[in-house]
Amino acid sequence: MKFSTSSGPFISLMLLGVASGAYAQYSPQKSYAGKPGTTLAQTVITPTPFNPVAPAGAPNIIYVMLDDVGWGASSAFGGLVETPVFDSLANNGLRYTNFHTTAICSPTRASLLTGRNHHSVNVPTVIDAAVNLPGHNGYMPFEKGTVAEILREDGYNTYAVGKWHVTPSPDLTPAGPFNRWPTGRGFDAFFGFMAGETDQYTPALWENTVKVEPDLQGKHLTTVLVDKAISYIAGQHSAAPDKPFFLYFTPGATHGPHQVDKSWVDKYKGKFDAGWDVYREQVLARQKALGLVPKDATLPPRNPGVKPWESLSATEKKVFSRFFEVYAGFLSHTDYEVGRLVNYLRDTRQLDNTLIVLIIGDNGASKEGGLSGHVHGINEYIDGSLFTENYDRRIKDIDSLYEKIGSPESGPNYPVGWAQAANTPFRYLKQDANSEGGTRNPLVIFYPKLIKKGGIRTQYSHVNSVTPTVLEIAGLKIPKVINGYPQDTLEGISLAYTINNENAPGRHHVQYYEIAGGRAIYKDGWKAAVSHKRGTPFSTDKWELYNLDTDFNEQHDLAADNPAKLKELQSLFDKEAWKYKVYPLLGDTTRLTPAILTRGPLDSRASAILYPGITQVPSRSAPFLSEQSFIIKADVELSDAKNEGVLLSTGGRFSGFTFFVQQGKLKAVHNNNGRLTDLTSGKDLPLGKAILRYELKYTPASQLTDPAGTESLYINDEKVAERTISKADATISPYDEGLDVGRDQGSAVSPLYKSPYNFTGKLNHIEIIHPSL
């Protein structure tokens, strides 16, 4: 596998970042036990340990966390998607059926890494939407150390491979700071992606803090991640076979885009033609047979908007079945790749003393496919086109791309009917912090040295429990001070008490949940919850009450029957919310404008100068371009009429914007979820020095199709093209791929060129101007 890095000033900054981002272990100078003499012959030499040493026999520790899977997807928890490796880990370990996450990715990861509640470590929702308030700003405090920071002080090597998504957006620039990147939070090495998702064939990857442009040579990203994890372990085990390691392995699967080699999709051809209603019935029966749910369990109603499968048209059934075939192939492929890692540990005789924590999903199955599903990437969800475009037209468009669904040419996510099926037997989905469907996920603990027989555990637990559990099982100490920061106590409740006692009374008595105003409070089997519609006042919210001991999948609202219990739990939520900095609640009629988000050096000033070599800066970390007026000025020198290439681009083949030179003309292209609009100069570019300018004047608009101002091209100060734009054109917020200067790294925004389409003239710099700042 080949990797190339960007050159020039950018790489120098990044290399400096590697040094500044890594903290040293606590390793004070020790007194010398030997006796120096005037000569070596007269000296008594005694070996001196200079670094922390793990306790004898300390286990290797692996966290495997998947993404957006759903409780009823994998065969390990009764699903119809074959996951033999997960089955084996579960059959030889412990299945936890009452384990919970936060309902969305960044908060779950922050809680897992720190053993604390997500607001307590300032990660209230996806890190990209952090707000500049205590409990909400996205900056995990150093006083609340990560499991990697703890384990490194206990003598472990520490590696993070895969999805990260807990570094604040303002810090995701070539200037850092890098202290909240993985290598700044206790990991010796990191290889993976920083955002919530990435393309599985054209990923945006970093190694430590250096941006790498990977040549995957046709490999799938999950395969590459497992290769990297094995290489880290191989090097460590060769150099220090008695030293334990910690691996945080978090592939992008099965978050969108659902992409996998066709052979894995073909494995499931026709397997789901009976639809999501039959799937739910079959999975519930399997879950009962495995002893995972009560024998008298029933299915809740379909989620709002989900149609009975039999009411769908032939075309809907065809494309919807394809979506789930692709998803199933993606999940099975992930299981296979995790199996390669497990087999490597077995082959190198490390598996028996390896504690594996397998979390099959960081939240419930995803609602980001809407009612129809999508094929052009997550921006269809982000910009709202998924919900505003004509449904029948969307189905027709998806059908026209049927053969490409799941391939590198598509960016799919399934419709919410399949999301609920993957969540069997629960109702509601990812982001729904009020529901078991949003927060209940499969947990497996596998440790052959300690767990000799498979079993099921039903004690209530939360993702903040995992790190305390692991530390207790491994017999490791939490330092009072890490890197000079006095440490706060962990907030999760260890599950170690359940390992050898399936009937042990539960110890996790109280737990709050909150994402974007949706919220819940659990206490000893009772749960009060409220679903909140974003953009509406909290005063209209209606609380519900459930007894999970008798109604585990929330079908019987007891609020009217037991108002005293509801009031008690509402008061408890209020207490917990103040304690953990949940307040103020977000998601009402107050709009989250860019002005109140945590902002970085590039999106908070009126003018930003960018130089060639800067590449793949995430859109929330780069100068903000969406739904506002801005100017791009390119200071260039053209020596040949054939000079061409990209001046500035952001995004990729599914969504983005690009400003470039081609065939002597100046061009700008918008890619709105695969729909392309362009503007071309009416005259040729001159040779010599020039200022090439793009200007967008935005007029606020309501619908994506509404007129929203104009865009213009200038050569020096002469206007050479202009057109009216829509709101869709002005919604420039691509997620998977970032901003590049002098190239279009990754996939091409426009089919008019092939990436990277480096600019062949001389580009001195780009200036982005925001007139309103």
Side-chain angles (χ1 to χ4, degrees):
M1 182 171 172
K2 300 176 182 177
F3 293 93
S4 62
T5 54
S6 304
S7 59
F10 174 69
I11 198 65
S12 299
L13 281 171
M14 295 305 280
L15 291 174
L16 287 172
V18 173
S20 66
Y23 285 116
Q25 287 175 306
Y26 179 70
S27 185
Q29 182 171 305
K30 295 178 173 63
S31 59
Y32 185 59
K35 184 178 180 181
T38 56
T39 67
L40 191 58
Q42 296 172 332
T43 296
V44 178
I45 299 175
T46 302
T48 302
F50 292 102
N51 299 307
V53 177
N60 301 315
I61 298 169
I62 299 178
Y63 288 0
V64 178
M65 175 180 275
L66 273 60
D67 205 329
D68 289 6
V69 177
W71 209 79
S74 74
S75 54
F77 274 68
L80 302 186
V81 181
E82 296 175 14
T83 53
V85 174
F86 299 162
D87 295 355
S88 178
L89 293 173
N91 292 338
N92 293 283
L94 299 177
R95 287 177 172 89
Y96 285 80
T97 62
N98 203 0
F99 173 77
H100 297 77
T101 56
T102 69
I104 202 165
C105 49
S106 298
T108 291
R109 291 159 200 274
S111 185
L112 171 64
L113 284 165
T114 64
R116 299 170 174 94
N117 288 316
H118 61 294
H119 289 86
S120 186
V121 291
N122 294 326
V123 185
T125 183
V126 289
I127 202 78
D128 323 78
V131 174
N132 192 10
L133 289 166
H136 297 74
N137 58 45
Y139 284 81
M140 294 197 301
F142 295 115
E143 292 81 2
K144 300 176 189 292
T146 70
V147 62
E149 289 170 323
I150 294 169
L151 292 176
R152 194 161 68 171
E153 298 301 327
D154 280 322
Y156 277 67
N157 280 124
T158 54
Y159 309 110
V161 177
K163 174 175 172 176
W164 182 245
H165 208 206
V166 285
T167 293
S169 296
D171 294 1
L172 289 176
T173 76
F178 299 98
N179 54 355
R180 285 183 171 86
W181 289 53
T183 51
R185 293 311 310 252
F187 288 98
D188 296 328
F190 166 68
F191 182 85
F193 57 101
M194 301 297 288
E197 71 164 49
T198 195
D199 193 280
Q200 298 299 311
Y201 291 98
T202 313
L205 295 179
W206 278 259
E207 183 146 25
N208 300 324
T209 58
V210 178
K211 185 71 185 68
V212 294
E213 306 302 344
D215 175 6
L216 297 186
Q217 299 180 353
K219 288 186 176 181
H220 191 279
L221 176 58
T222 308
T223 302
V224 173
L225 295 176
V226 171
D227 288 346
K228 179 60 72 171
I230 289 174
S231 74
Y232 285 150
I233 295 169
Q236 186 260 4
H237 193 58
S238 299
D242 296 327
K243 185 176 184 179
F245 68 83
F246 169 59
L247 172 65
Y248 177 67
F249 183 76
T250 53
T254 56
H255 197 292
H258 297 162
Q259 298 166 318
V260 73
D261 294 349
K262 189 172 182 295
S263 60
W264 289 94
V265 179
D266 290 344
K267 173 184 173 72
Y268 289 101
K269 184 67 177 174
K271 294 288 182 67
F272 307 114
D273 288 354
W276 47 59
D277 294 322
V278 170
Y279 180 99
R280 293 175 71 208
E281 293 168 358
Q282 291 177 341
V283 169
L284 180 61
R286 289 164 61 97
Q287 290 168 339
K288 290 180 180 179
L290 287 169
L292 303 176
V293 301
K295 290 292 184 182
D296 60 351
T298 60
L299 290 172
R302 297 181 195 87
N303 290 333
V306 176
K307 302 175 185 177
W309 183 264
E310 288 307 314
S311 73
L312 301 177
S313 69
T315 302
E316 286 173 306
K317 290 179 179 179
K318 172 189 170 185
V319 297
F320 290 173
S321 294
R322 180 66 168 186
F323 275 123
F324 205 70
E325 290 166 5
V326 169
Y327 169 81
F330 192 14
L331 180 54
S332 284
H333 173 259
T334 307
D335 175 85
Y336 170 81
E337 291 296 339
V338 172
R340 285 205 302 122
L341 176 61
V342 172
N343 288 335
Y344 174 78
L345 295 172
R346 181 180 289 112
D347 293 344
T348 54
R349 299 181 181 179
Q350 300 182 73
L351 185 61
D352 284 349
N353 196 34
T354 298
L355 168 57
I356 299 177
V357 176
L358 171 65
I359 304 173
I360 309 178
D362 54 353
N363 42 243
S366 172
K367 63 172 68 174
E368 290 150 13
L371 294 175
S372 64
H374 65 67
V375 291
H376 298 295
I378 196 172
N379 273 73
E380 294 189 74
Y381 174 81
I382 294 172
D383 69 15
S385 59
L386 184 63
F387 311 105
T388 58
E389 291 178 352
N390 179 271
Y391 177 85
D392 292 333
R393 192 179 303 128
R394 289 189 59 82
I395 296 299
K396 185 176 180 180
D397 176 52
I398 294 168
D399 187 36
S400 71
L401 298 169
Y402 176 87
E403 294 296 338
K404 294 183 178 180
I405 298 175
S407 75
E409 299 175 73
S410 68
N413 203 337
Y414 54 34
V416 293
W418 278 121
Q420 184 173 10
N423 258 4
T424 302
F426 301 107
R427 199 176 183 195
Y428 303 121
L429 305 165
K430 172 184 178 180
Q431 302 185 38
D432 297 327
N434 56 294
S435 73
E436 295 295 291
T439 61
R440 197 181 290 215
N441 286 91
L443 169 68
V444 172
I445 296 179
F446 170 89
Y447 185 21
K449 189 176 179 180
L450 178 64
I451 301 170
K452 304 298 183 182
K453 182 182 178 182
I456 293 173
R457 299 292 183 267
T458 59
Q459 291 87 351
Y460 183 92
S461 59
H462 186 267
V463 67
N464 62 23
S465 304
V466 172
T467 287
T469 302
V470 165
L471 295 175
E472 182 176 349
I473 290 174
L476 300 172
K477 296 180 179 179
I478 303 172
K480 293 182 179 179
V481 176
I482 296 177
N483 297 321
Y485 294 94
Q487 293 296 295
D488 292 344
T489 57
L490 301 184
E491 294 163 2
I493 306 299
S494 170
L495 282 166
Y497 72 95
T498 69
I499 298 295
N500 294 315
N501 186 356
E502 63 180 305
N503 297 314
R507 297 180 182 178
H508 198 134
H509 299 292
V510 174
Q511 182 61 50
Y512 83 87
Y513 298 85
E514 194 277 338
I515 298 292
R519 53 208 188 275
I521 185 74
Y522 168 91
K523 182 182 179 184
D524 292 330
W526 285 92
K527 178 179 175 182
V530 57
S531 174
H532 176 73
K533 184 179 179 181
R534 298 183 198 191
T536 63
F538 291 114
S539 59
T540 62
D541 290 348
K542 181 182 178 182
W543 283 80
E544 299 172 348
L545 177 68
Y546 298 99
N547 185 337
L548 298 183
D549 290 340
T550 59
D551 179 24
F552 81 107
N553 59 355
E554 301 173 311
Q555 296 191 60
H556 306 289
D557 178 10
L558 303 176
D561 298 332
N562 198 338
K565 175 60 73 171
L566 178 60
K567 185 176 181 180
E568 172 196 335
L569 291 179
Q570 287 174 310
S571 297
L572 180 59
F573 177 86
D574 192 59
K575 177 182 176 182
E576 295 291 288
W578 284 117
K579 178 179 180 180
Y580 293 111
K581 302 178 183 177
V582 179
Y583 289 144
L585 296 176
L586 307 178
D588 62 357
T589 54
T590 304
R591 189 165 181 260
L592 293 183
T593 63
I596 64 174
L597 299 178
T598 51
R599 308 187 75 186
L602 288 175
D603 70 347
S604 57
R605 59 182 189 259
S607 173
I609 306 293
L610 310 178
Y611 295 93
I614 191 171
T615 181
Q616 289 294 289
V617 179
S619 60
R620 264 290 289 118
S621 310
F624 203 61
L625 304 180
S626 188
E627 296 183 49
Q628 59 186 286
S629 300
F630 64 89
I631 298 167
I632 301 172
K633 289 183 177 181
D635 186 325
V636 304
E637 296 178 32
L638 303 171
S639 58
D640 191 308
K642 294 182 179 179
N643 285 155
E644 63 180 3
V646 170
L647 302 169
L648 179 141
S649 69
T650 182
R653 63 181 173 276
F654 301 127
S655 177
F657 167 80
T658 181
F659 180 43
F660 62 102
V661 172
Q662 189 174 74
Q663 296 179 345
K665 304 287 188 181
L666 187 59
K667 293 177 175 285
V669 172
H670 297 267
N671 185 332
N672 304 323
N673 305 320
R675 298 178 179 88
L676 300 163
T677 58
D678 64 88
L679 184 64
T680 301
S681 63
K683 63 182 296 184
D684 290 343
L685 294 166
L687 297 182
K689 294 183 178 181
I691 301 296
L692 308 180
R693 185 162 105 237
Y694 171 86
E695 186 167 335
L696 189 149
K697 293 182 178 179
Y698 179 63
T699 301
S702 176
Q703 302 298 319
L704 290 171
T705 54
D706 291 347
T710 62
E711 64 178 355
S712 308
L713 296 175
Y714 294 81
I715 299 175
N716 294 317
D717 289 323
E718 180 184 358
K719 184 184 291 186
V720 292
E722 184 177 61
R723 77 176 186 94
T724 299
I725 60 170
S726 67
K727 183 180 179 181
D729 293 325
T731 307
I732 305 172
S733 56
Y735 192 76
D736 282 1
E737 298 186 42
L739 180 143
D740 305 302
V741 173
R743 71 181 76 179
D744 184 352
Q745 202 69 54
S747 65
V749 173
S750 170
L752 293 174
Y753 57 78
K754 292 184 179 180
S755 291
Y757 203 45
N758 294 305
F759 183 61
T760 59
K762 183 179 180 182
L763 174 58
N764 294 313
H765 64 261
I766 291 282
E767 182 180 12
I768 298 180
I769 301 168
H770 287 94
S772 61
L773 292 179

